[in-house]
């Protein structure tokens, strides 16, 4: 919603300007600082937030400033023209304008343009354009005449289109208006005749522009009080030809038709216009903000002491003359929120909410609106999913507010509610995007993982496990069940984040290994259940063990999913009961995988796994303990698991002996440290030779 | 090696080689921190140590330790608090309540509470009342009068010592932590308020119910002998938070006397607690050196229901965290390991500046070492005694990096404990004393704001003059500097600027314009009589005493500004000295760097490398000249900077003092942290392996 905030006056003293108002307000290279050029002799640099001048410069008595001062963003210097032809360049430290750099030009200057990202540009009254640098090299160079006799420049603007500077200026001759567009990447000057339509005799009082990819949209406020829009192509098909462009009515009766002065226009964004002038013939002058999409007056502010019709808009501030003072009104327009978009979708079949479809910039909504009425349910859902995705991307692109996480939470809850009511609605991409904002947690959107579990969406589950710090153990366990139970085929199709798994897991080998293991285990089945016997068997087949160590029992994608489980936080007490519900085969598989990871860990000194974010040794060990604690009675009965248990037993035994050795070593080290310290203490004094600087 | 010929080529000659006396026998061990108290109004922090020392840190002035009250063996501080705005009180095991005079920097008065050792003290929310908890189980209420405090009444005596006290923010109720139970009582009716529960139902003689909240002695299923309530905090909603020796943080409902929530956070004692003013966050410190942050957070988004959650653990201490404080933007902790740690809450810090960095203050922000250059003597100042040492000597010479064989080792000459008693009354309490260069005069800064000038004669002395404080101020001077020719005396207090007196004419010569930040070091240069002043915000000014104005160099550097890395240093400059033969050099140091400012070289700007290592001697003059700038710095100790400086290749330890003895000799007094740690009691042992 657009809103005007409390106004404040910039000058403590009235501008010595008379009714014409200031020549211009231009931004400087520091945010919040603006150059105000009086129509007399003075340039003042203001800090707007402090409402105080930082510097003021005047030309000599008898000279007059003819073109508003601008800041050269590349050097931070200020530039002004006085007496039409004399160029002055100075910086903040200079006190006297008389003593600063001066260049006298051969032709009269209409305006100097300077915007961020490119060098300043000088527009001459005859329509010729020079870059400042080129001009300063040879100030007396000849300036050609571009426009015809009696043609007068009325208005001009300089902007960047895809990093290329573009200059537009409007001229008038005998009531006819022409637009010139100069592109600097191609040095092409295109000329357009503005066709006024039925209101042939109306006088255009004010111009403003906005730019998109293809067109410069030129808004003009005519003497009949209406705002018209003219679209001028940036890349004309035939630049040499003089083309005609037609204007269309954009806003009716924005100001009273009788108003002769104090009328101005400024495009604020693609939907909003600021209009200066009396809304009714009898009323006082007023600043109004119009929404052109909905043709509504958003807000307005009365200016009882009159205004000059000049309006500048930089950042979030509107500058205008009110009475004799330069007034700043902060303007804010909040971006329409995602929540708003969701609300709109809910009522997308309600025709009442649609605006009258004869306005520009309304294509997107028109499409979705019309489509939903005609096509079938599923298409509608697909489209609305896409629409949400787009809106979401826009929302995520803007700056984060302090309540960002609650907004995200509410958005997810909103989406999930819709998922519940419409079973086919599953905005997967949007949900993934939302999870990746890193601000969600399980408790913020409890339904999210339930739905993902329902849909067996392992990718989403993996993401949740990685991002959420507070997943209840029951849900972690449900994920584990799905991860262990899902078929390899369906896994292959999914797109799973594999960064926790490095090349140690290889599919083909894994499959082979499983077969091989089975053969071996069948062999064991014939034997007595004698542990010693088994141990002997094992030691007799060291090669088999080595082989097993090299082969991963699960495919890499499953390994990545299981790693996500290993990384998740849990409390043993709450996890244990849930683990009991997992089928014994799956438990064995998981144990095999964990054991494999452990063997991989112990291959290097640091006891870590390769890869970007691998499970840690502690996590692996904790899970082995957990699984055994929960399912020992079951696992011990499964012949396949016997080998595994034996290996684990041996491993625990070796761990215990290592720990006791380490504890012994620690004591020894501490003694050594003490000795070392004593030795250091003895060196309490020395004389050394040192070189200083 | 820098050959003499080469010195002639380079515009500004380097300092060259020095014989450096590296002194590590200053056995300075700071005392453990016992209490901290934060004052919101002045943004100051009072810290008391186990030896009774009280220090005041100004958190707004880059955490500078601006005031200091030395302790005494007989005063063990157990409690410290601010009352009536900015009045500071402490209480201790000698049973006395002490008020400190923050202007005169002495003890205003001590008053016996007649309850045996005092374990706890709390000022009422309005600041007009003080409550102390005593060994005999009594809780005593004192009225804070403009001049003193006045005993008002006793509350009902409890069975055992009162270890912690906390007022309800409305000032109507008080919670008191004792051994095994917490009591809550009504200040107005003087009676214990709570209903009884458990099996400890007592009624006092007046008939009103006494209520105690019994704390479970059990610790991990094992019954300990006693459960000591080390800290309590009373919140405005009636919740009482307690921390105890069984490692628990417990939440009680004071209206019903029931336990609401229990967090077991440590295997050892939880010794301290502090709550933020908004009551949305609190901090506890444990005997294992861990500090835990608890925050009141919403259960779910949108819901107004909030609960206390343990959010962050911090391990900045190795030993018991005896005291914690909660400023609006930081958690402050201190304990047996003697460090004062200020951990900013990043979510509360708006601008990335000083306040956003973790601070660990270990060394005092004042000079503890003095040096007699000609006699090569060092005087070390300890909390309760002085030591005088003579430096050793050597006849050998060597090249850069050599350690020379000693022909004579350093001697410990004196250990001074007793004070000389035959002193006139006005000299009894001095904050700072200073001899003139020729040892004929003694300057004494007394705690009444006056400066005494005394002429020293053979075996006696004569009082020459007293400079009275400026009218209206009673602020004590705590830094003195005298010019080498003995004509000028500069003195600075904690805030009112630097006064320069003419010793010849015995009158005030001028006052250096007051500056927002306190002075950390002062010195007057020989010959030029330029006064160099270092402030706690790391600004350095040079002021010409004869001209009564800042020097051109000082103006230039103020105009250009100091290098941002210079301003980011976190310890104040504690000593400034000059080179006898090089008038353009100013030598200064803090605990972690030593710097020679060469005024003849260009000033560094933010684009230049501040910590600029000396280029190899074989580098061409052009490069030497281009990279040289006025600040020649040797960073010290922090291991990651070992290669950046010049001295630091041999890794100096934290520097307490550095001075030029003569043109080619330096003395550096270092204090390695390891040596301090080695003298601390062992920390609680944690099992590392096989857990």
């Amino acid at each position: 919603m657009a809103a005007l905030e409390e106004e404040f006056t910039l000058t403590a003293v009235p501008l010595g300007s008379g009714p014409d108002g200031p020549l211009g307000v231009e931004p400087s290279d520091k945010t919040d600082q603006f150059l105000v050029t009086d129509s007399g002799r003075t340039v003042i640099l203001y800090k707007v937030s402090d409402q105080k001048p930082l510097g003021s410069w005047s030309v000599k008595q008898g000279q007059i400033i003819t073109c508003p001062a601008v800041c050269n963003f590349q050097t931070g210097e200020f530039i002004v023209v006085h007496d039409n032809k004399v160029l002055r360049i100075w910086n903040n430290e200079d006190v006297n304008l008389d003593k600063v750099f001066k260049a006298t030009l051969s032709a009269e200057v209409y305006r100097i343009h300077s915007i961020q990202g490119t060098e300043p540009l000088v527009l001459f009254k005859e329509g010729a354009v020079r870059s400042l640098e080129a001009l300063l090299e040879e100030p007396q160079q000849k300036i050609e005449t571009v426009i015809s006799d009696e043609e007068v420049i009325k208005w001009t603007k300089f902007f960047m289109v895809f990093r290329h500077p573009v200059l537009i200026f409007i001229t008038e001759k005998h009531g006819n208006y022409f637009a010139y567009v100069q592109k600097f990447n191609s040095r092409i000057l295109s000329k357009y005749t503005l066709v006024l339509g039925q209101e042939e005799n109306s006088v255009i009082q004010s111009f403003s522009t906005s730019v998109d990819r293809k067109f410069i949209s030129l808004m003009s406020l005519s003497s009949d009080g209406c705002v018209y829009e003219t679209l001028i192509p940036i890349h004309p098909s035939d630049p040499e030809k003089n083309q005609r462009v037609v204007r269309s009515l954009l806003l009716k009766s924005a100001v009273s038709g009788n108003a002769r002065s104090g009328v101005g226009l400024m495009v604020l964004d693609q939907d909003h216009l600021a209009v200066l002038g009396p809304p009714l013939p009898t009323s006082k002058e007023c600043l109004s903000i119009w929404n052109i999409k909905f043709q509504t007056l958003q807000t307005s502010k009365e200016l009882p002491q009159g205004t000059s019709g000049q309006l500048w808009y930089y950042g979030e501030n509107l500058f205008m003359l009110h009475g004799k003072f330069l007034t700043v009104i902060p303007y804010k327009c909040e971006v329409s929120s995602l929540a708003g978009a969701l609300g709109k979708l809910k009522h997308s079949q309600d025709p009442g909410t649609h605006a009258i479809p004869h306005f520009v910039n309304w294509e997107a909504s028109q499409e979705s609106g019309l489509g939903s009425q005609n096509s079938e349910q599923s298409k509608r859902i697909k489209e609305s999913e896409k629409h949400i995705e787009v809106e979401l991307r826009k929302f995520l692109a803007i700056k984060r507010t302090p309540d960002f996480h609650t907004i995200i939470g509410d958005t997810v809850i909103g989406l999930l509610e819709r998922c519940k009511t419409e079973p086919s609605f599953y905005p997967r991409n949007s949900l993934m995007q939302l999870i990746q904002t890193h601000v969600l947690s399980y408790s913020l959107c409890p339904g999210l993982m339930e739905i993902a579990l329902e849909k067996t969406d392992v990718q989403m589950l993996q993401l949740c496990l990685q991002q959420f710090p507070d997943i209840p153990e029951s849900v972690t366990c449900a994920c584990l069940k799905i991860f262990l139970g899902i078929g390899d085929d369906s896994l292959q199709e999914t797109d799973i984040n594999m960064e926790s798994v490095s090349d140690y897991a290889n599919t083909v080998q894994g499959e082979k290994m499983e077969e091989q293991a089975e053969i071996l285990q069948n062999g064991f089945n014939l034997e007595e259940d004698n542990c010693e016997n088994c141990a002997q068997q094992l030691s007799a087949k060291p090669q088999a063990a080595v082989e097993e160590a090299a082969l991963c029992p699960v495919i890499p994608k499953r390994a990545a999913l299981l790693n996500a489980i290993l990384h998740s936080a849990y409390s043993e007490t709450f996890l244990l009961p849930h683990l009991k519900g997992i089928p014994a085969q799956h438990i064995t598989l998981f144990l095999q995988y964990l054991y494999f990871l452990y063997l991989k860990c112990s291959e290097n000194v640091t006891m870590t796994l390769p890869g970007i974010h691998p499970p840690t040794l502690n996590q692996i060990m904790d899970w082995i303990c957990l699984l055994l604690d929960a399912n020992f009675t079951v696992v011990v009965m499964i012949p396949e698991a016997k080998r595994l248990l034996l290996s684990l037993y041996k491993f625990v035994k070796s761990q215990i002996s290592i720990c006791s050795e380490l504890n012994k070593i620690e004591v020894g080290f501490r003694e050594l440290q003490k000795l070392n310290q004593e030795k250091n203490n003895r060196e309490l004094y020395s004389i050394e030779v040192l070189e200083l600087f | 090696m820098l050959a003499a010929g080469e010195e002639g080529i380079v515009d500004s000659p380097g300092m060259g080689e020095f014989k450096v006396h590296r002194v590590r026998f200053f056995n300075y061990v700071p005392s453990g921190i016992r209490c901290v108290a934060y004052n919101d109004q002045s943004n100051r922090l009072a810290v008391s140590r186990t030896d009774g020392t009280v220090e005041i840190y100004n958190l707004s002035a880059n955490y500078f330790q601006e005031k200091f009250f030395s302790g005494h063996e007989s005063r063990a501080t157990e409690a410290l608090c601010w009352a009536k705005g900015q009045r500071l009180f402490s209480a201790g095991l000698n049973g006395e309540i002490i008020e400190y005079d923050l202007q005169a920097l002495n003890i205003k008065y001590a008053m016996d509470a007649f309850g045996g050792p005092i374990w706890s003290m709390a000022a009422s929310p309005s600041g007009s009342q003080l409550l102390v908890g005593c060994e005999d189980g009594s809780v005593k209420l004192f009225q804070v009068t403009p001049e003193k405090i006045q005993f008002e009444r006793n509350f009902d005596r409890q069975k055992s010592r009162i270890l912690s006290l906390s007022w309800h923010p409305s000032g109507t109720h008080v919670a008191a932590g004792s051994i095994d139970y917490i009591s809550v009582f009504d200040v107005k009716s003087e009676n214990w308020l709570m209903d009884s529960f458990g099996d400890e139902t007592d009624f006092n003689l007046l008939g009103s119910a006494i209520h105690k909240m019994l704390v479970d002695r059990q610790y991990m299923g094992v019954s300990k002998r006693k459960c000591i309530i080390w800290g309590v905090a009373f919140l405005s909603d009636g919740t009482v938070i307690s921390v105890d020796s069984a490692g628990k943080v417990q939440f009680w409902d004071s209206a019903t006397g029931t336990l609401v929530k229990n967090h077991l956070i440590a295997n050892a004692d939880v010794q301290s607690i502090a709550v933020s003013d908004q009551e949305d966050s609190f901090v506890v410190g444990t005997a294992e050196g861990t500090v835990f942050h608890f925050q009141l957070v919403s259960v779910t988004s949108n819901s107004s229901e909030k609960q206390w959650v343990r959010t962050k653990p911090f391990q900045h201490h190795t030993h018991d965290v005896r005291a914690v404080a909660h400023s609006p933007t930081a958690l402050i902790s201190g304990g047996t390991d003697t460090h004062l740690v200020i951990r900013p809450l990043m979510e509360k810090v708006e601008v990335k500046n000083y306040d956003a960095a973790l601070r660990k203050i270990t060394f005092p922000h004042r000079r503890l070492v003095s040096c007699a250059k000609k006699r090569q003597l060092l005087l070390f100042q300890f909390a309760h005694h002085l030591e005088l040492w003579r430096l050793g000597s050597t006849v050998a010479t060597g090249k850069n990096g050599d350690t020379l064989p000693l022909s004579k080792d350093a001697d410990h000459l004196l250990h001074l404990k007793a004070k000389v008693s035959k002193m006139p009354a006005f000299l009894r309490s001095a904050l700072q004393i200073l001899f003139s260069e020729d040892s004929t005069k003694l300057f004494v800064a007394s705690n009444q704001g006056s400066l005494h000038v005394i002429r020293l004669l053979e075996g006696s002395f004569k009082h020459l003059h007293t400079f009275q404080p400026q009218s209206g101020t009673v602020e004590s001077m705590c830094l003195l500097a005298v010019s080498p020719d003995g004509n000028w005396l500069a003195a600075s207090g904690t805030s009112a600027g630097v006064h320069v007196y003419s010793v010849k004419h015995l009158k005030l010569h001028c006052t250096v314009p007051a500056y927002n930040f306190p002075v950390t070091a002062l010195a007057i240069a020989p010959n030029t009589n330029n006064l160099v002043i270092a402030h706690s915000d790391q600004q350095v000014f040079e002021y010409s005493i004869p001209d009564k104005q800042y020097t051109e160099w000082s103006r230039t550097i103020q105009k250009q500004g100091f290098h941002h890395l210079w301003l980011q240093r976190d310890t104040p400059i504690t000593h400034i000295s000059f080179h006898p033969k090089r008038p353009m050099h100013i030598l200064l140091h803090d605990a972690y760097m030593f710097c020679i400012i060469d005024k003849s070289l260009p000033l560094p700007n933010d684009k230049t490398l501040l910590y600029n290592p000396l280029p190899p001697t074989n580098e061409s003059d052009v490069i030497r000249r281009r990279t040289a700038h006025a600040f020649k710095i040797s960073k010290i100790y922090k291991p990651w900077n070992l290669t950046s400086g010049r001295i630091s290749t041999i890794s100096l330890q934290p520097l307490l003092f550095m001075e030029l003895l003569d043109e080619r000799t330096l003395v550096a007094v270092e204090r390695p942290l390891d040596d301090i740690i080695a003298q601390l009691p062992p920390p609680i042992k944690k099992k590392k392996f096989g857990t």
Side-chain angles (χ1 to χ4, degrees), chain B residues 605-625:
Chain B
N605 59 28
D606 278 359
K607 280 171 202 140
T608 22
L609 202 60
L610 181 68
Y611 301 112
N612 188 7
L614 186 70
T617 37
N618 54 11
E619 202 76 75
S620 77
D621 290 342
V622 183
I623 292 179
R624 287 188 141 222
R625 220 170 294 166

Side-chain angles (χ1 to χ4, degrees), chain A residues 405-406 409-410 413 443-444 659 662-663 666 670 677 681 683-693, chain B residues 14-22 24 301-302 392 400-402 404 409 596 632 646-647 666 675 690:
Chain A
H405 68 280
T406 50
D410 293 342
I413 288 170
S443 40
L444 262 179
C659 280
L662 278 175
N663 277 324
E666 197 204 357
R670 208 176 306 128
Q677 222 148 38
N681 282 350
E683 295 171 2
L684 289 178
Y685 180 62
S686 61
I687 301 178
E688 291 170 24
V689 177
L690 295 172
E691 190 189 329
L692 285 180
F693 313 111
Chain B
M15 292 288 283
E17 280 180 356
F18 281 89
K19 270 186 192 171
V20 181
H21 293 261
R22 299 187 59 184
R24 270 151 287 170
S301 75
N302 297 337
N400 184 21
D402 284 359
L404 304 177
D409 204 353
I596 297 170
K632 296 168 172 179
R646 192 62 180 166
I647 299 190
L666 263 174
D675 292 3

Side-chain angles (χ1 to χ4, degrees), chain A residues 366-378:
Chain A
Q366 269 179 345
E367 269 169 25
S368 70
L370 293 172
S372 65
Q373 282 166 354
N374 302 342
S375 62
E376 74 247 33
Q377 183 85 351
S378 71

Side-chain angles (χ1 to χ4, degrees), chain A residues 35 39 64 99 185 358 376 380 393 399 475 594 601 634:
Chain A
L35 284 166
S39 58
I64 184 154
K99 291 186 178 145
N185 56 336
H358 60 263
E376 74 247 33
R380 185 184 72 84
R393 207 164 293 146
K399 226 177 106 193
V475 178
L594 288 168
C601 270
V634 183

Side-chain angles (χ1 to χ4, degrees), chain A residues 475-489:
Chain A
V475 178
T476 312
C477 204
C479 292
L480 179 61
K481 266 187 209 169
I482 286 189
F483 292 167
L484 288 168
I486 192 169
D488 280 355
D489 304 337

